[in-house]
Amino acid sequence: MVALASVVVAAGTVTGVLSALDDGRGGDEARPDVSGTPFLQPLPYLPDPSPSVTSGSPSPSASASAPKAKPSPTPSKSAATKPRTGPASVRLYRHGDSQVLDWVRANPDDPRRPLIESRIADRPAAVWFADYTPSTITARVRAVTSAGAAKGGVPVVVPYAIPDRDCGGASQGGAPDLGAYDGWIGKFAAGLGSREVVVILEPDAIAQSDCLSEGQRTARFDALARAGRVLKAANPEARVYFDAGHSDWNSPRKQAGLLRRAGAASAASSDGIFSNVSNFNRTADEVAYVRRTLAALGGPASLGAVIDTSRNGNGAPADGEWCDPAGRKLGQAPTLSTGEAGIDAYLWVKLPGESDGCRGRPGTFTPDYAYDLAR
Protein backbone atom coordinates (compact mmCIF):
# COMPACT_ATOMS: atom_id res chain seq x y z
CA MET A 1 0.00 0.00 0.00
CA VAL A 2 1.36 3.40 -0.96
CA ALA A 3 1.54 6.13 1.66
CA LEU A 4 -1.03 8.66 0.54
CA ALA A 5 -3.17 11.30 2.15
CA SER A 6 -4.55 13.44 -0.62
CA VAL A 7 -5.03 13.23 -4.36
CA VAL A 8 -5.76 15.96 -6.88
CA VAL A 9 -7.81 15.36 -10.00
CA ALA A 10 -5.86 17.16 -12.67
CA ALA A 11 -6.70 19.65 -15.34
CA GLY A 12 -8.37 18.08 -18.33
CA THR A 13 -10.71 16.23 -16.01
CA VAL A 14 -11.01 18.93 -13.38
CA THR A 15 -9.35 22.32 -13.10
CA GLY A 16 -8.29 24.51 -10.15
CA VAL A 17 -9.85 26.34 -7.09
CA LEU A 18 -10.15 29.54 -9.04
CA SER A 19 -8.38 27.88 -11.90
CA ALA A 20 -6.23 29.71 -14.42
CA LEU A 21 -5.94 27.10 -17.14
CA ASP A 22 -5.20 27.67 -20.82
CA ASP A 23 -8.22 27.32 -23.07
CA GLY A 24 -6.48 28.18 -26.29
CA ARG A 25 -7.32 31.88 -26.13
CA GLY A 26 -3.76 32.84 -25.12
CA GLY A 27 -2.86 36.43 -24.30
CA ASP A 28 -3.69 37.60 -20.83
CA GLU A 29 -6.80 35.45 -20.36
CA ALA A 30 -6.54 34.00 -16.86
CA ARG A 31 -9.49 31.65 -16.89
CA PRO A 32 -11.00 28.98 -19.17
CA ASP A 33 -14.65 28.40 -19.93
CA VAL A 34 -14.78 25.69 -17.25
CA SER A 35 -13.18 26.18 -13.86
CA GLY A 36 -13.08 23.83 -10.93
CA THR A 37 -10.87 22.72 -8.07
CA PRO A 38 -8.40 19.89 -8.39
CA PHE A 39 -9.83 18.10 -5.37
CA LEU A 40 -7.65 16.56 -2.71
CA GLN A 41 -9.00 13.54 -0.91
CA PRO A 42 -7.65 12.08 2.34
CA LEU A 43 -6.17 8.61 1.95
CA PRO A 44 -4.33 6.33 4.39
CA TYR A 45 -0.62 6.43 4.99
CA LEU A 46 2.02 3.93 6.02
CA PRO A 47 2.80 4.42 9.73
CA ASP A 48 6.19 5.89 10.52
CA PRO A 49 8.17 4.27 13.34
CA SER A 50 7.84 7.48 15.35
CA PRO A 51 5.47 7.10 18.31
CA SER A 52 3.90 10.43 17.41
CA VAL A 53 2.23 9.03 14.28
CA THR A 54 -1.55 8.97 14.19
CA SER A 55 -3.68 6.83 11.93
CA GLY A 56 -4.93 8.19 8.65
CA SER A 57 -8.28 8.17 6.95
CA PRO A 58 -9.54 5.30 4.77
CA SER A 59 -10.58 5.81 1.17
CA PRO A 60 -12.13 3.71 -1.57
CA SER A 61 -8.63 2.80 -2.74
CA ALA A 62 -7.31 1.75 0.65
CA SER A 63 -6.30 -1.86 1.05
CA ALA A 64 -7.96 -4.11 3.60
CA SER A 65 -4.91 -3.74 5.82
CA ALA A 66 -5.16 0.03 5.96
CA PRO A 67 -5.39 1.45 9.48
CA LYS A 68 -8.89 2.39 10.52
CA ALA A 69 -9.64 6.05 11.01
CA LYS A 70 -9.67 7.43 14.52
CA PRO A 71 -12.18 10.07 15.56
CA SER A 72 -10.75 13.56 15.52
CA PRO A 73 -9.04 14.38 18.82
CA THR A 74 -11.22 16.14 21.36
CA PRO A 75 -10.65 19.82 20.57
CA SER A 76 -9.37 22.23 23.12
CA LYS A 77 -11.74 24.84 24.44
CA SER A 78 -10.44 27.37 21.95
CA ALA A 79 -10.78 24.93 19.07
CA ALA A 80 -14.35 24.12 19.99
CA THR A 81 -15.52 27.70 19.64
CA LYS A 82 -17.32 28.76 16.50
CA PRO A 83 -14.79 29.41 13.69
CA ARG A 84 -14.13 33.05 12.94
CA THR A 85 -15.80 33.70 9.61
CA GLY A 86 -15.97 37.48 9.74
CA PRO A 87 -14.50 39.79 7.10
CA ALA A 88 -11.29 38.46 5.60
CA SER A 89 -8.10 40.45 5.64
CA VAL A 90 -8.31 43.24 3.09
CA ARG A 91 -4.77 42.35 2.07
CA LEU A 92 -5.78 39.08 0.41
CA TYR A 93 -6.90 39.34 -3.20
CA ARG A 94 -10.18 37.83 -4.39
CA HIS A 95 -9.88 36.85 -8.04
CA GLY A 96 -12.85 38.06 -10.07
CA ASP A 97 -13.50 34.82 -11.93
CA SER A 98 -14.65 31.57 -10.34
CA GLN A 99 -17.41 29.02 -10.58
CA VAL A 100 -19.11 30.31 -7.45
CA LEU A 101 -19.13 33.86 -8.82
CA ASP A 102 -20.56 32.55 -12.09
CA TRP A 103 -23.34 30.84 -10.14
CA VAL A 104 -24.08 33.92 -8.04
CA ARG A 105 -24.34 36.11 -11.14
CA ALA A 106 -26.55 33.61 -12.95
CA ASN A 107 -28.95 32.99 -10.04
CA PRO A 108 -29.99 36.37 -8.58
CA ASP A 109 -33.32 35.04 -7.31
CA ASP A 110 -32.13 31.76 -5.80
CA PRO A 111 -32.91 31.78 -2.04
CA ARG A 112 -29.48 30.25 -1.35
CA ARG A 113 -27.68 33.06 -3.14
CA PRO A 114 -27.30 35.64 -0.33
CA LEU A 115 -25.63 33.18 2.04
CA ILE A 116 -23.40 31.59 -0.63
CA GLU A 117 -22.40 35.02 -1.90
CA SER A 118 -21.57 36.52 1.49
CA ARG A 119 -19.92 33.47 3.06
CA ILE A 120 -18.11 31.96 0.05
CA ALA A 121 -18.15 34.03 -3.16
CA ASP A 122 -16.97 37.19 -1.42
CA ARG A 123 -13.97 35.45 0.15
CA PRO A 124 -10.49 35.45 -1.41
CA ALA A 125 -9.31 32.00 -2.49
CA ALA A 126 -6.36 30.45 -4.29
CA VAL A 127 -5.87 30.42 -8.05
CA TRP A 128 -4.62 27.10 -9.39
CA PHE A 129 -2.41 26.63 -12.47
CA ALA A 130 -2.89 22.93 -13.04
CA ASP A 131 -1.89 22.43 -16.67
CA TYR A 132 1.37 22.29 -18.57
CA THR A 133 1.18 25.15 -21.07
CA PRO A 134 4.57 26.85 -21.26
CA SER A 135 3.56 29.22 -24.05
CA THR A 136 0.89 31.03 -22.02
CA ILE A 137 1.73 30.42 -18.36
CA THR A 138 3.62 33.70 -17.85
CA ALA A 139 0.75 35.82 -19.19
CA ARG A 140 -1.86 33.92 -17.17
CA VAL A 141 0.06 34.23 -13.91
CA ARG A 142 0.71 37.89 -14.63
CA ALA A 143 -3.01 38.47 -15.23
CA VAL A 144 -3.72 37.33 -11.67
CA THR A 145 -0.81 39.01 -9.92
CA SER A 146 -1.22 42.32 -11.73
CA ALA A 147 -4.93 42.37 -10.92
CA GLY A 148 -4.10 41.73 -7.27
CA ALA A 149 -1.54 44.52 -7.28
CA ALA A 150 -4.01 46.93 -8.87
CA LYS A 151 -6.50 46.24 -6.09
CA GLY A 152 -3.87 46.36 -3.34
CA GLY A 153 -4.38 42.71 -2.44
CA VAL A 154 -2.13 39.68 -2.05
CA PRO A 155 -2.94 36.86 -4.51
CA VAL A 156 -2.55 33.19 -3.61
CA VAL A 157 -1.36 31.08 -6.55
CA VAL A 158 -0.84 27.32 -6.82
CA PRO A 159 1.64 25.92 -9.37
CA TYR A 160 0.61 22.30 -9.93
CA ALA A 161 2.49 20.67 -12.79
CA ILE A 162 5.12 18.39 -11.20
CA PRO A 163 5.82 15.24 -13.27
CA ASP A 164 4.37 11.96 -11.95
CA ARG A 165 1.68 13.99 -10.23
CA ASP A 166 -0.62 11.81 -8.10
CA CYS A 167 1.72 8.86 -8.72
CA GLY A 168 -0.13 8.00 -11.94
CA GLY A 169 -3.58 8.08 -10.33
CA ALA A 170 -6.66 10.11 -11.22
CA SER A 171 -4.66 13.32 -11.24
CA GLN A 172 -1.83 12.15 -13.46
CA GLY A 173 -0.43 14.86 -15.70
CA GLY A 174 1.82 17.82 -15.40
CA ALA A 175 5.11 18.42 -17.18
CA PRO A 176 6.53 15.52 -19.21
CA ASP A 177 9.80 15.47 -17.25
CA LEU A 178 11.71 17.47 -14.67
CA GLY A 179 13.67 19.39 -17.27
CA ALA A 180 10.42 20.58 -18.80
CA TYR A 181 9.12 21.37 -15.32
CA ASP A 182 12.16 23.55 -14.63
CA GLY A 183 11.35 25.53 -17.76
CA TRP A 184 7.65 25.82 -16.85
CA ILE A 185 8.47 27.06 -13.36
CA GLY A 186 10.80 29.67 -14.82
CA LYS A 187 7.98 30.95 -17.01
CA PHE A 188 5.57 30.80 -14.06
CA ALA A 189 7.99 32.84 -11.97
CA ALA A 190 8.25 35.45 -14.72
CA GLY A 191 4.57 36.27 -14.15
CA LEU A 192 4.84 36.88 -10.40
CA GLY A 193 5.54 40.59 -10.70
CA SER A 194 7.25 42.49 -7.91
CA ARG A 195 4.52 42.75 -5.26
CA GLU A 196 3.70 40.36 -2.45
CA VAL A 197 2.20 37.04 -3.56
CA VAL A 198 1.70 33.72 -1.74
CA VAL A 199 2.79 30.61 -3.64
CA ILE A 200 1.46 27.20 -2.56
CA LEU A 201 4.09 25.06 -4.29
CA GLU A 202 2.84 21.72 -5.63
CA PRO A 203 0.29 20.21 -3.21
CA ASP A 204 1.09 16.56 -2.38
CA ALA A 205 4.46 16.63 -4.14
CA ILE A 206 6.41 15.97 -0.93
CA ALA A 207 4.00 14.16 1.38
CA GLN A 208 2.86 11.93 -1.48
CA SER A 209 6.20 10.71 -2.73
CA ASP A 210 6.49 7.17 -1.36
CA CYS A 211 5.39 5.76 -4.73
CA LEU A 212 8.61 7.03 -6.30
CA SER A 213 11.92 5.22 -6.26
CA GLU A 214 14.61 6.76 -4.09
CA GLY A 215 16.30 8.19 -7.17
CA GLN A 216 13.05 9.63 -8.49
CA ARG A 217 12.24 11.11 -5.13
CA THR A 218 15.65 12.76 -4.87
CA ALA A 219 15.24 14.20 -8.36
CA ARG A 220 11.78 15.54 -7.52
CA PHE A 221 12.97 17.12 -4.29
CA ASP A 222 15.91 18.72 -6.09
CA ALA A 223 13.47 20.15 -8.65
CA LEU A 224 11.26 21.57 -5.91
CA ALA A 225 14.28 23.19 -4.25
CA ARG A 226 15.22 24.73 -7.60
CA ALA A 227 11.63 25.87 -8.09
CA GLY A 228 11.60 27.65 -4.74
CA ARG A 229 14.85 29.45 -5.54
CA VAL A 230 13.62 30.49 -9.00
CA LEU A 231 10.31 31.80 -7.65
CA LYS A 232 11.94 33.85 -4.91
CA ALA A 233 14.70 35.13 -7.19
CA ALA A 234 12.11 36.30 -9.72
CA ASN A 235 10.14 38.14 -7.03
CA PRO A 236 11.81 38.63 -3.64
CA GLU A 237 8.39 39.61 -2.25
CA ALA A 238 6.95 36.17 -3.12
CA ARG A 239 6.22 33.96 -0.10
CA VAL A 240 6.78 30.33 -1.10
CA TYR A 241 5.38 27.47 0.98
CA PHE A 242 6.18 23.75 0.68
CA ASP A 243 3.91 20.73 1.09
CA ALA A 244 3.61 19.42 4.65
CA GLY A 245 0.59 17.17 4.07
CA HIS A 246 -1.61 17.36 7.16
CA SER A 247 -1.80 16.24 10.75
CA ASP A 248 -3.29 12.81 9.96
CA TRP A 249 -0.60 11.88 7.44
CA ASN A 250 3.14 11.67 8.17
CA SER A 251 4.59 12.37 11.58
CA PRO A 252 6.20 15.81 12.01
CA ARG A 253 9.63 14.18 12.19
CA LYS A 254 9.18 12.22 8.97
CA GLN A 255 7.62 15.12 7.09
CA ALA A 256 10.35 17.50 8.23
CA GLY A 257 12.97 15.13 6.85
CA LEU A 258 11.26 15.10 3.46
CA LEU A 259 10.80 18.87 3.49
CA ARG A 260 14.45 19.43 4.32
CA ARG A 261 15.51 17.38 1.31
CA ALA A 262 13.23 19.52 -0.88
CA GLY A 263 14.82 22.79 0.20
CA ALA A 264 12.09 23.95 2.55
CA ALA A 265 14.58 24.78 5.32
CA SER A 266 16.46 27.29 3.15
CA ALA A 267 15.47 30.95 3.14
CA ALA A 268 16.69 31.12 -0.46
CA SER A 269 13.82 28.90 -1.58
CA SER A 270 11.24 28.82 1.20
CA ASP A 271 9.12 30.88 3.54
CA GLY A 272 7.78 27.78 5.27
CA ILE A 273 5.18 25.06 4.83
CA PHE A 274 1.47 24.55 4.14
CA SER A 275 -0.95 21.96 5.49
CA ASN A 276 -4.53 20.64 5.28
CA VAL A 277 -5.09 21.53 1.61
CA SER A 278 -8.64 20.41 0.78
CA ASN A 279 -8.78 18.46 4.02
CA PHE A 280 -11.03 18.84 7.07
CA ASN A 281 -8.74 18.67 10.10
CA ARG A 282 -9.36 21.26 12.80
CA THR A 283 -7.25 24.37 12.76
CA ALA A 284 -5.97 23.74 16.30
CA ASP A 285 -4.72 20.28 15.27
CA GLU A 286 -2.99 21.72 12.20
CA VAL A 287 -1.40 24.55 14.18
CA ALA A 288 0.09 22.03 16.61
CA TYR A 289 1.25 19.82 13.72
CA VAL A 290 2.93 22.53 11.65
CA ARG A 291 4.68 23.95 14.70
CA ARG A 292 6.15 20.54 15.50
CA THR A 293 7.08 20.05 11.85
CA LEU A 294 8.80 23.44 11.68
CA ALA A 295 10.68 22.70 14.90
CA ALA A 296 11.91 19.41 13.44
CA LEU A 297 12.71 21.07 10.10
CA GLY A 298 15.09 23.65 11.50
CA GLY A 299 16.10 26.53 9.28
CA PRO A 300 15.72 30.25 9.93
CA ALA A 301 13.31 31.45 12.58
CA SER A 302 11.42 33.38 9.92
CA LEU A 303 9.92 30.19 8.46
CA GLY A 304 6.19 29.96 9.08
CA ALA A 305 3.15 27.99 7.98
CA VAL A 306 -0.15 28.50 6.23
CA ILE A 307 -3.21 26.31 6.78
CA ASP A 308 -6.16 25.59 4.50
CA THR A 309 -9.24 26.33 6.62
CA SER A 310 -11.84 26.30 3.85
CA ARG A 311 -13.91 23.32 5.07
CA ASN A 312 -12.61 22.49 8.54
CA GLY A 313 -15.13 24.30 10.76
CA ASN A 314 -16.43 21.04 12.21
CA GLY A 315 -13.22 19.06 11.86
CA ALA A 316 -12.78 15.80 9.97
CA PRO A 317 -15.54 13.16 9.99
CA ALA A 318 -14.97 10.48 12.60
CA ASP A 319 -15.64 7.78 10.00
CA GLY A 320 -12.90 9.06 7.71
CA GLU A 321 -15.24 9.98 4.86
CA TRP A 322 -13.44 12.26 2.41
CA CYS A 323 -15.88 12.77 -0.45
CA ASP A 324 -18.16 15.76 0.24
CA PRO A 325 -18.84 14.48 3.77
CA ALA A 326 -22.01 15.67 5.45
CA GLY A 327 -21.90 17.95 8.47
CA ARG A 328 -18.79 19.93 7.47
CA LYS A 329 -18.72 23.72 7.82
CA LEU A 330 -16.62 26.64 6.71
CA GLY A 331 -13.54 27.27 8.80
CA GLN A 332 -11.70 30.47 9.66
CA ALA A 333 -12.03 33.19 7.05
CA PRO A 334 -8.98 33.69 4.85
CA THR A 335 -6.57 36.12 6.47
CA LEU A 336 -2.92 37.04 6.73
CA SER A 337 -3.43 38.05 10.39
CA THR A 338 -3.97 34.84 12.36
CA GLY A 339 -2.91 35.98 15.82
CA GLU A 340 -0.98 32.70 16.13
CA ALA A 341 2.81 32.73 16.42
CA GLY A 342 4.42 31.11 13.40
CA ILE A 343 1.14 30.81 11.48
CA ASP A 344 1.39 33.23 8.58
CA ALA A 345 -2.09 32.77 7.12
CA TYR A 346 -5.34 30.89 7.08
CA LEU A 347 -6.19 30.40 3.41
CA TRP A 348 -8.93 28.89 1.31
CA VAL A 349 -6.83 26.84 -1.08
CA LYS A 350 -9.78 24.57 -1.86
CA LEU A 351 -12.84 26.67 -2.67
CA PRO A 352 -15.75 25.40 -0.58
CA GLY A 353 -18.70 24.30 -2.65
CA GLU A 354 -16.62 22.70 -5.38
CA SER A 355 -17.42 19.00 -5.13
CA ASP A 356 -15.03 16.15 -4.39
CA GLY A 357 -17.17 14.04 -6.72
CA CYS A 358 -20.07 12.75 -4.62
CA ARG A 359 -22.55 15.63 -4.55
CA GLY A 360 -21.55 16.82 -7.99
CA ARG A 361 -19.03 16.11 -10.70
CA PRO A 362 -15.48 16.37 -9.32
CA GLY A 363 -14.35 19.97 -9.17
CA THR A 364 -17.67 21.51 -10.15
CA PHE A 365 -19.49 24.07 -8.04
CA THR A 366 -22.47 22.45 -6.31
CA PRO A 367 -24.82 25.00 -4.73
CA ASP A 368 -26.51 22.57 -2.32
CA TYR A 369 -23.11 21.54 -0.97
CA ALA A 370 -21.95 25.16 -0.74
CA TYR A 371 -25.14 26.15 1.08
CA ASP A 372 -24.73 23.33 3.62
CA LEU A 373 -21.15 24.42 4.33
CA ALA A 374 -22.11 28.07 4.67
CA ARG A 375 -25.18 27.93 6.89
Side-chain angles (χ1 to χ4, degrees), residues 173-264:
D177 55 55
L178 290 174
Y181 180 73
D182 286 345
W184 185 86
I185 278 289
K187 293 177 182 295
F188 185 103
L192 289 179
S194 59
R195 301 284 293 273
E196 187 176 2
V197 56
V198 174
V199 183
I200 304 298
L201 180 61
E202 298 292 344
D204 292 347
I206 298 174
Q208 185 186 353
S209 61
D210 286 349
C211 64
L212 303 176
S213 69
E214 181 58 27
Q216 290 172 326
R217 193 186 306 185
T218 296
R220 172 183 284 190
F221 291 168
D222 288 348
L224 289 171
R226 290 193 298 273
R229 291 193 296 270
V230 166
L231 293 164
K232 290 191 69 64
N235 179 2
E237 296 299 312
R239 296 162 59 174
V240 180
Y241 295 89
F242 284 68
D243 169 37
H246 58 71
S247 60
D248 283 335
W249 201 340
N250 293 325
S251 70
R253 179 180 63 81
K254 177 177 179 179
Q255 191 63 31
L258 300 176
L259 284 158
R260 193 177 304 109
R261 291 176 59 186

Side-chain angles (χ1 to χ4, degrees), residues 50-68:
S50 167
S52 63
V53 177
T54 57
S55 63
S57 303
S59 79
S61 61
S63 72
S65 62
K68 294 187 180 294

Side-chain angles (χ1 to χ4, degrees), residues 102 123 206 315:
D102 285 347
R123 307 292 187 188
I206 298 174

Side-chain angles (χ1 to χ4, degrees), residues 103-146:
W103 183 88
V104 165
R105 292 162 184 152
N107 295 274
D109 299 323
D110 192 297
R112 299 166 297 183
R113 180 184 182 272
L115 191 63
I116 290 174
E117 182 176 23
S118 63
R119 299 291 300 277
I120 296 177
D122 285 348
R123 307 292 187 188
V127 183
W128 290 67
F129 297 83
D131 61 337
Y132 176 72
T133 51
S135 63
T136 60
I137 189 63
T138 300
R140 291 183 290 116
V141 174
R142 184 180 295 125
V144 175
T145 57
S146 62

Side-chain angles (χ1 to χ4, degrees), residues 19-361:
S19 183
L21 304 182
D22 185 24
D23 62 354
R25 291 180 291 196
D28 283 348
E29 292 289 345
R31 183 173 176 267
D33 294 328
V34 178
S35 168
T37 305
F39 75 89
L40 291 84
Q41 63 193 55
L43 300 177
Y45 66 89
L46 291 176
D48 182 79
S50 167
S52 63
V53 177
T54 57
S55 63
S57 303
S59 79
S61 61
S63 72
S65 62
K68 294 187 180 294
K70 293 181 180 178
S72 297
T74 301
S76 65
K77 183 177 180 181
S78 61
T81 59
K82 185 176 181 180
R84 175 172 51 80
T85 54
S89 167
V90 294
R91 295 186 63 217
L92 280 169
Y93 167 63
R94 189 202 68 163
H95 194 43
D97 284 318
S98 69
Q99 291 187 90
V100 62
L101 283 170
D102 285 347
W103 183 88
V104 165
R105 292 162 184 152
N107 295 274
D109 299 323
D110 192 297
R112 299 166 297 183
R113 180 184 182 272
L115 191 63
I116 290 174
E117 182 176 23
S118 63
R119 299 291 300 277
I120 296 177
D122 285 348
R123 307 292 187 188
V127 183
W128 290 67
F129 297 83
D131 61 337
Y132 176 72
T133 51
S135 63
T136 60
I137 189 63
T138 300
R140 291 183 290 116
V141 174
R142 184 180 295 125
V144 175
T145 57
S146 62
K151 291 184 177 294
V154 178
V156 179
V157 295
V158 185
Y160 184 65
I162 197 78
D164 298 315
R165 190 172 61 193
D166 188 26
C167 295
S171 184
Q172 58 187 304
D177 55 55
L178 290 174
Y181 180 73
D182 286 345
W184 185 86
I185 278 289
K187 293 177 182 295
F188 185 103
L192 289 179
S194 59
R195 301 284 293 273
E196 187 176 2
V197 56
V198 174
V199 183
I200 304 298
L201 180 61
E202 298 292 344
D204 292 347
I206 298 174
Q208 185 186 353
S209 61
D210 286 349
C211 64
L212 303 176
S213 69
E214 181 58 27
Q216 290 172 326
R217 193 186 306 185
T218 296
R220 172 183 284 190
F221 291 168
D222 288 348
L224 289 171
R226 290 193 298 273
R229 291 193 296 270
V230 166
L231 293 164
K232 290 191 69 64
N235 179 2
E237 296 299 312
R239 296 162 59 174
V240 180
Y241 295 89
F242 284 68
D243 169 37
H246 58 71
S247 60
D248 283 335
W249 201 340
N250 293 325
S251 70
R253 179 180 63 81
K254 177 177 179 179
Q255 191 63 31
L258 300 176
L259 284 158
R260 193 177 304 109
R261 291 176 59 186
S266 169
S269 56
S270 170
D271 290 271
I273 62 179
F274 64 84
S275 76
N276 209 43
V277 168
S278 198
N279 218 295
F280 304 91
N281 295 321
R282 291 185 183 276
T283 301
D285 295 334
E286 293 304 300
V287 167
Y289 166 71
V290 295
R291 283 175 174 165
R292 292 173 62 199
T293 303
L294 286 169
L297 176 63
S302 61
L303 295 183
V306 300
I307 296 168
D308 187 350
T309 59
S310 58
R311 303 186 297 178
N312 73 347
N314 276 352
D319 62 3
E321 177 59 51
W322 61 266
C323 186
D324 302 334
R328 301 314 98 198
K329 298 297 179 185
L330 302 177
Q332 281 88 342
T335 181
L336 296 175
S337 301
T338 68
E340 292 278 358
I343 310 302
D344 295 344
Y346 298 137
L347 302 176
W348 284 7
V349 183
K350 163 78 173 184
L351 189 66
E354 292 188 358
S355 176
D356 296 322
C358 291
R359 298 188 61 172
R361 289 188 297 109

